[in-house]
Amino acid sequence: MDPAQLLTAELALHRRAALAGRAASAAGVPGRFRAWEHAGLLAVLATDPALAYLSTVTGVTPETLPALPELLSAPDWDGVDPAVVAPAGLRVPGLVPAGERFLAVRRLEPAPSRPPDEADEEVFLRVLLAGFEARGAVAAYMAAEHRLPIMRRFLLEDIAAAGMTIDAGVAILGAASTLPEFRGRGAQPTLLRRRLEAAAAEGCTLAVATARPGSPSVANLERAGFRLHRRQAWTRP
């Protein structure tokens, strides 16, 4: 895929993270949230330990890599160790590998319009959070993010839920979960298909998601036509 499209996908994810952080702050979720750009690098900060997985640096390329030491030395990171997520094969000096991730991207073609999903917000949140078995700050953050006015909410028979936002023609597939007793019955592939149909009907030309190797999401995304771009996470020794 064109490197410019990968950057477009990463920028869309970054802007979604910025919106989610502002929503979390407004909702009183613990910690401090910030998303900013530094010399082409895309930084996301969440200071509560339960939300440490949100603290990342993306947009890492051979061209932006020289600016990384300055970004990581910023006082914003005091007490926080972000994951620097770089394309596979690009070594990040001074850091050590910390697992792999996928950036999943798929081109979309225009499609006929379809009736919008009109999931009840409270039912949607109940199913989503129960499927993740989320608690505490994680549940509060997810609830704040998925109450965003731009969030499209998809429900399948009150047993599975999935979110999506749209940013400048890019469909960002967010959290998706199924209640434990209903897993393995095809709920998530169904919701993935419905989100892609809705995105194409709204004129999106690209869909993007993230996934960790070995997760059920990887197989679902591959079957749905996504191309998986391997990323290496790096962290301080």
Side-chain angles (χ1 to χ4, degrees), residues 117-162:
D117 282 67
E118 297 182 356
D120 178 88
E121 182 177 290
E122 296 307 318
V123 176
F124 170 88
L125 288 173
R126 175 176 57 78
V127 174
L128 184 74
L129 298 180
F132 275 106
E133 301 179 72
R135 301 288 186 274
V138 174
Y141 175 86
M142 291 181 65
E145 179 182 21
H146 288 83
R147 289 186 191 277
L148 283 167
I150 62 169
M151 184 65 64
R152 272 78 163 174
R153 304 176 188 91
F154 298 77
L155 264 177
L156 182 63
E157 299 176 1
D158 294 359
I159 65 169

Side-chain angles (χ1 to χ4, degrees), residues 2 10 39 41 88 90 131 153 197 229 234:
D2 184 342
E10 288 194 319
L41 295 167
L90 180 61
R153 304 176 188 91
E197 289 172 351
H229 300 268
W234 299 81

Side-chain angles (χ1 to χ4, degrees), residues 40-83:
L41 295 167
L42 308 172
V44 176
L45 169 73
T47 60
D48 188 272
L51 300 171
Y53 65 93
L54 297 171
S55 292
T56 56
V57 176
T58 57
V60 182
T61 67
E63 293 73 28
T64 61
L65 190 57
L68 184 61
E70 182 180 7
L71 173 62
L72 293 180
S73 67
D76 300 80
W77 301 112
D78 186 29
V80 177
D81 189 13

Side-chain angles (χ1 to χ4, degrees), residues 6 43 51 167 204-205 214 220:
L6 293 178
L51 300 171
D167 179 306
C204 292
T205 57
N220 289 336

Side-chain angles (χ1 to χ4, degrees), residues 12-20 145-146 151 164-165 172-175:
L13 287 165
H14 181 72
R15 289 192 289 265
R16 160 77 172 262
L19 290 173
E145 179 182 21
H146 288 83
M151 184 65 64
M164 179 179 78
T165 56
I172 303 148
L173 307 185

